Amino acid sequence: MGVSTQASFGLAILCCILVFSGLQMYKNQLGSTRLMTLIAGYMASWLFIFMLTAVSNLENIMFGKGFQARVIPEVVLCMILACSAAGMVHRVSVTVCLLCSLVGLYYINKMGQSSTAALAPSAVSSKKKKEKLTN
């Protein structure tokens, strides 16, 4: 069972702060070698995932449960912020962050579609039952 929207928002904000502060505290070490530069980009992609989760949860709290994050304002803003955080470490980290974030976004979208597809048949079957009862 998952946590509530408010708790998920709080956890996502906390994770954003921890990942960003980790990137900044270990900036010199993360930018020193090729492997560490790649790790910094991967960490920044997690920053993107946590920011997108926080923004989406905040919108659900403010505008209601049916509100979904869209590509243009929410995803692009989170991507720009995460790539900026990666750019503070190293230029190559921005590219790795962008690529890993796009892969993560694909799987988040895939999970969201599968969860709504699982809910759809029950709604259709209850509609058919109501039609049969009225006839």
Side-chain angles (χ1 to χ4, degrees), residues 1 4 8 20 25 32 45 48 83 106-107 109-110 135:
M1 183 175 158
S4 68
S8 178
F20 182 75
M25 283 189 334
S32 63
S45 72
F48 165 74
C83 287
Y106 169 76
Y107 283 108
N109 188 26
K110 192 173 178 181
N135 290 336

Side-chain angles (χ1 to χ4, degrees), residues 53-102:
T53 302
V55 168
S56 181
N57 284 332
L58 181 63
E59 288 175 343
N60 279 329
I61 292 168
M62 293 176 65
F63 303 125
K65 281 284 188 194
F67 203 83
Q68 293 181 351
R70 305 214 186 260
V71 174
I72 294 299
E74 293 94 355
V75 173
V76 171
L77 176 70
C78 292
M79 185 74 74
I80 289 170
L81 291 174
C83 287
S84 298
M88 291 179 190
V89 176
H90 197 276
R91 292 180 301 183
V92 177
S93 297
V94 176
T95 306
V96 175
C97 174
L98 184 67
L99 294 175
C100 291
S101 296
L102 289 176

Side-chain angles (χ1 to χ4, degrees), residues 28-38 90:
N28 294 331
Q29 291 88 347
L30 288 171
S32 63
T33 64
R34 289 181 188 171
L35 178 63
M36 295 303 279
T37 303
L38 298 176
H90 197 276

